[in-house]
Amino acid sequence: MSEITLQIDGREVAARKGMTVLEAAKKAGISIPTLCHHEKLEPYGGCRLCTVEVEERGRTKMVAACLYPVEKDLVVKTRTEKVDRIRKMILELLLAHAPDAFELQDLALEYGADRDRFEKESSFCLHCGLCVRYCAEVKKKNAIGFINCGTRREISFIPEIASKECWNCKECFPLCPTEALQAAFVLTKALVFPSPLSELKG
Amino acid sequence: MDNDKIDRIINKHRGKAGSLVQVLMEIQEENHWLPREVLEKVGEKLDVPLSRVLRIATMYKTFSLTPKGRHEIHICTGSACHVRGARRVLETVQDLTGIKPGETDSDSRFSLETVNCQGCCALGPVVAIDGKTHGRISPDEIADALKKYD
């Protein structure tokens, strides 16, 4: 275990090699906002809300803290003007999809994001991938996945698997920041699950 | 659907999750669409979860999850073809076949797709039917050409 020190927001922080900037910051009690991050899951880097500014050999760049590995003498800044501007923009874009998502409200307040900046396109899914990854990585059932491409991308339960596995699990439900997942499940259930009646007859 | 050929394609790549796109492309080429049972079988044999097979199969425009017609019409709507009148060609084809891009007509004669470039802009407007390229085509000519396909 090689300990290294880096600087986050002007404080010297000790971290183990292989940790991410997010983990190091958390250990030191510095909070970085996240949406798609979950302790049990592999880092995803999907929401970019954890964007921070790192300085390395005199150059600064914007990176996702949940993916960026710590390095010796790295200088990290979690609240610069540029970081705040990026987070505000991300929040405004996400709010166009899910204007009333609880997790977004506090963040929007903190970063001054205007929920009406962009025309509403309420899909309610933020594409954080928490449900998809939780089902694949923790439960290893793969009952839900992403389908389609680009603007048409959405989550979709796989009816063949979901009708067997989901009844007694539903562990992904509380993970969803917007409840789009629950809606997708109800829809799948209504459309394609075998109904109790047809099973009785069958 | 030719099950033997599909099985042969799948068996060639058995257990190799990395060959997923390759397998799906070969089946698409052979069968012109990817039925649900085939996707399930591919997932099973290549050891890839069905959710990932579906993600890949819905991601790329190459793959079709619905049956295609006997003849596939690809109309280029890229910038070069567009300025040379691709839209009027597309409208003519839509009127004659009664289908919009992405659709197949009810007697499975034609499937219509728009594409963004076929790589021969000098021949615009370009229409490819079953892989055969019709270049510098006018709405009248495409109407004639379509009659040859049954």
Side-chain angles (χ1 to χ4, degrees), chain A residues 142 144-149 153 158-161, chain B residues 36 40 49-52 54-56 58-60:
Chain A
N142 294 293
I144 183 165
F146 279 111
I147 57 163
N148 289 335
C149 175
R153 194 165 185 250
I158 316 294
E160 293 91 329
I161 306 170
Chain B
R36 190 82 170 190
E40 281 171 25
L50 182 60
S51 63
R52 198 186 301 166
L54 282 171
R55 193 185 78 203
I56 302 292
T58 53
M59 164 91 192
Y60 296 103

Side-chain angles (χ1 to χ4, degrees), chain B residues 8-78:
Chain B
R8 217 172 305 143
I9 293 167
I10 297 175
N11 285 330
K12 205 163 62 185
H13 299 273
R14 183 183 286 269
K16 284 188 285 186
S19 307
L20 179 60
V21 172
Q22 182 69 32
V23 170
L24 293 180
M25 276 169 72
E26 283 180 36
I27 297 174
Q28 173 76 39
E29 178 86 357
E30 183 63 43
N31 195 44
H32 302 292
W33 73 291
L34 303 171
R36 190 82 170 190
E37 310 85 71
V38 170
L39 292 178
E40 281 171 25
K41 199 188 262 180
V42 168
E44 205 179 291
K45 294 283 166 69
L46 265 62
D47 205 12
V48 179
L50 182 60
S51 63
R52 198 186 301 166
V53 178
L54 282 171
R55 193 185 78 203
I56 302 292
T58 53
M59 164 91 192
Y60 296 103
K61 217 179 163 187
T62 316
F63 303 129
S64 170
L65 298 187
T66 48
K68 288 274 179 183
R70 292 188 294 284
H71 306 290
E72 289 181 43
I73 310 172
H74 293 268
I75 298 181
C76 183
T77 53

